[in-house]
Amino acid sequence: MVQVSPDFKRRIDAIPAAVRAAAAREMERGAEELVQEIKRLAPRDPKPDGIHLEDHIGWTWGDAPAGTFTMGEIKSGKDAGIEYAALRITVYANPKDSKGRAYASWVEFGTQRSAARPFFWQPFRDHRRRIRTRVLKAIREAIKNG
């Protein structure tokens, strides 16, 4: 049996927590940057009942808030099983009109009566690679310094 020094074992045991913390920090940073860009691009005109789209855009850990219209979900890895559940961020747009209908997709993609005014998917596509790269870099650093 191989003898492992206590210092080495302590460093190895600390890696999962350090990796999770580093990844979470970068994911939060990326989500906040993405939300700010989406809000910047969101149309500023309020609905007749005074609802502003940018006031209903945000991010959360795990699932989106109840009643939220989610335009997409990011999963990690092909299985994206339980090991990823604690590190899943959802970016959402949750405005509702006076009848309680979510209308973010109507703005993003348009309707028969109004032209599309995209604000969500382009920033997502623009930021996705950069956020992922920063998360992976943070993970590598956490393993290296673990």
Side-chain angles (χ1 to χ4, degrees), residues 22-47:
R25 271 193 310 277
E26 284 303 318
M27 289 173 71
E28 286 179 353
R29 181 176 153 208
E32 190 58 40
E33 288 175 6
L34 179 57
V35 164
Q36 292 307 316
E37 181 68 8
I38 291 170
K39 284 182 176 185
R40 187 182 71 74
L41 293 174
R44 299 272 182 241
D45 52 327
K47 295 297 282 178

Side-chain angles (χ1 to χ4, degrees), residues 76-146:
S76 179
K78 67 177 184 173
D79 296 326
I82 190 118
E83 69 273 16
Y84 299 107
L87 292 178
R88 188 178 84 212
I89 286 182
T90 303
V91 176
Y92 61 88
N94 188 26
K96 298 194 185 326
D97 66 7
S98 59
K99 295 180 182 176
R101 299 174 297 193
Y103 69 87
S105 65
W106 301 343
V107 175
E108 178 78 12
F109 303 113
T111 66
Q112 290 178 342
R113 296 183 197 148
S114 65
R117 294 185 288 170
F119 66 97
F120 190 91
W121 284 111
Q122 192 57 50
F124 172 77
R125 285 188 212 88
D126 292 346
H127 286 73
R128 176 176 46 192
R129 182 172 288 149
R130 182 173 29 155
I131 292 169
R132 183 181 180 125
T133 300
R134 287 192 324 218
V135 169
L136 292 174
K137 182 179 177 186
I139 289 170
R140 282 192 298 273
E141 288 294 318
I143 291 171
K144 180 180 167 185
N145 299 330

